[in-house]
Amino acid sequence: MHYLKRSLLALSVGLNIAFVLFWGMQYLQGQYPASPEMPRRSEDQLLRARYEGIQVTPEQWKALEPYVQVFKTNTDRIRRETMQLRKQLLELLTESVADEKAIRTIQQKILANQGGMKDEVLCLLLHEKRVLRPNQFSGLIQAIRDYGGHRPGFGIMTGGKPERD
């Protein structure tokens, strides 16, 4: 039974690490080329990818860009903290005697960070809903569904589902 618990915990940690790595890769600069027809209103790759195709006005860009920058800053901090916590968790698991209380404490912090990440995504979406016209926001939501993790600014953190091979 103890072996099963350790195996499940290791599997959980591995999946969480894979999730963070997948999410982090979406935000690496230069990961995806910008569309040539996209107006150069922002040098930020996330903004270009997220808002292409919904005809965002210059005023909307000005209202959205600061929130996206705050989102990126906050989510980057949460991602770094979560990766550090996962590293600590793995170190605890490699010890000869597992400190289950410490492991559970770190696990709860990781779960809290995941909840914080979801809150950040929700706050960004709610701000976008206030700034964008209803048809633009509907287009953004449809793009999130359609892209499903293939472009920066979309993907699993914003509601998309990754395609399976």
Side-chain angles (χ1 to χ4, degrees):
M1 187 65 156
H2 183 63
Y3 176 75
L4 180 62
K5 285 183 181 179
R6 287 186 117 178
S7 297
L8 289 175
L9 183 59
L11 176 63
S12 175
V13 170
L15 290 172
N16 284 328
I17 290 171
F19 174 79
V20 168
L21 290 174
F22 173 78
W23 181 82
M25 285 174 38
Q26 292 186 39
Y27 294 96
L28 290 175
Q29 291 295 331
Q31 185 71 18
Y32 299 96
S35 172
E37 65 273 0
M38 180 63 191
R40 297 289 178 176
R41 293 189 178 120
S42 174
E43 292 302 313
D44 188 285
Q45 184 181 14
L46 175 64
L47 284 174
R48 285 196 310 264
R50 191 162 178 88
Y51 304 123
E52 71 184 22
I54 60 171
Q55 300 174 339
V56 175
T57 67
E59 294 79 22
Q60 288 172 321
W61 279 96
K62 287 178 186 175
L64 290 169
E65 190 167 18
Y67 280 85
V68 172
Q69 295 305 327
V70 168
F71 169 81
K72 287 175 63 176
T73 300
N74 291 345
T75 56
D76 187 52
R77 176 188 48 78
I78 293 169
R79 181 187 52 80
R80 283 192 315 271
E81 287 174 6
T82 303
M83 290 178 74
Q84 183 61 36
L85 287 167
R86 287 188 173 129
K87 182 178 177 184
Q88 291 172 8
L89 184 64
L90 290 173
E91 289 171 4
L92 285 173
L93 288 170
T94 61
E95 293 179 6
S96 59
V97 177
D99 181 352
E100 289 190 37
K101 185 176 180 182
I103 290 170
R104 300 264 182 226
T105 300
I106 291 175
Q107 181 185 21
Q108 290 304 313
K109 290 178 183 178
I110 290 170
L111 292 172
N113 278 2
Q114 289 173 343
M117 190 70 78
K118 290 176 183 178
D119 287 343
E120 291 293 331
V121 170
L122 182 59
C123 287
L124 178 61
L125 286 168
L126 289 172
H127 181 71
E128 289 168 334
K129 186 173 181 75
R130 287 189 296 270
V131 172
L132 298 172
R133 293 186 309 271
N135 65 321
Q136 289 175 309
F137 188 72
S138 294
L140 176 63
I141 295 300
Q142 189 59 48
I144 290 169
R145 288 181 183 132
D146 292 347
Y147 286 129
H150 297 295
R151 308 275 304 273
F154 298 97
I156 200 153
M157 290 305 299
T158 51
K161 294 180 183 171
E163 279 188 6
R164 307 240 181 237
D165 290 325

